[in-house]
Amino acid sequence: MKRRIIIASHSMLSDGIAKTLQFFQGEQEQFTVITAYVDNKPIDEQIELIFNEISVEDEVVILTDLLAGSVNQKFVPYSSRPHTHLVAGMNLPLAMAFSMEPCHEYMSSDRIQEIVKEAQDQVKYVNLLLTATNEDDEDE
């Protein structure tokens, strides 16, 4: 069993996330990047070709940019494939967590939800955090 990670977005966001992951982790053959619509072509055929090359035993994690976006919607039919997980609203911590997850067994739905929650927790309004930190420092 291998884990394949498809990073797909409108325009170049997915390419930037993949390049940043490679910066931190080195070259990863588990990544497939789709930069949708930069060539004004539909992505349906590209997605079909990718899935035709993936073994049925392989686990697939699909990360997309927008829940209601067309890129995510193109992957919805593939979400019923065994061991396939579709996650929208990607960010770098989410992609990094999936790429670092051990590959010796399939991920459970609970583990996917934990990874998503941890990535959501990385989105912070830093000004507010700094204000709270400064207030704590003044109280001491």
Side-chain angles (χ1 to χ4, degrees):
M1 184 271 295
K2 290 183 183 177
R3 181 171 299 129
R4 300 280 303 269
I5 300 174
I6 300 171
I7 305 172
S9 70
H10 297 82
S11 194
M12 303 302 290
L13 176 65
S14 55
D15 188 57
I17 287 178
K19 285 180 178 171
T20 304
L21 288 170
Q22 289 171 355
F23 172 80
F24 285 114
Q25 300 173 343
E27 193 69 31
Q28 300 280 326
E29 62 183 56
Q30 71 191 47
F31 297 130
T32 301
V33 177
I34 295 179
T35 54
Y37 312 122
V38 294
D39 57 4
N40 293 320
K41 293 181 183 175
I43 61 171
D44 305 76
E45 193 173 298
Q46 186 179 6
I47 294 169
E48 186 177 343
L49 288 171
I50 290 167
F51 275 93
N52 286 341
E53 294 178 0
I54 298 174
S55 168
V56 293
E57 282 90 36
D58 288 349
E59 184 170 47
V60 180
V61 176
I62 308 160
L63 305 177
T64 65
D65 53 358
L66 297 169
L67 177 62
S70 60
V71 174
N72 190 69
Q73 298 310 308
K74 298 291 184 182
F75 283 100
V76 168
Y78 296 90
S79 65
S80 60
R81 179 191 172 278
H83 314 297
T84 300
H85 313 282
L86 177 57
V87 181
M90 70 175 158
N91 61 19
L92 184 58
L94 180 76
M96 191 173 286
F98 278 118
S99 69
M100 295 173 64
E101 189 69 12
C103 294
H104 59 274
E105 61 185 33
Y106 296 115
M107 289 185 288
S108 68
S109 178
D110 287 343
R111 180 63 187 137
I112 300 285
Q113 291 177 55
E114 287 172 12
I115 291 171
V116 169
K117 175 77 171 97
E118 290 167 6
Q120 289 171 333
D121 289 345
Q122 292 293 310
V123 178
K124 299 291 184 194
Y125 179 35
V126 176
N127 291 36
L128 187 60
L129 291 175
L130 293 173
T131 300
T133 301
N134 289 338
E135 289 174 1
D136 288 345
D137 290 345
E138 289 173 9
D139 289 342
E140 293 177 4

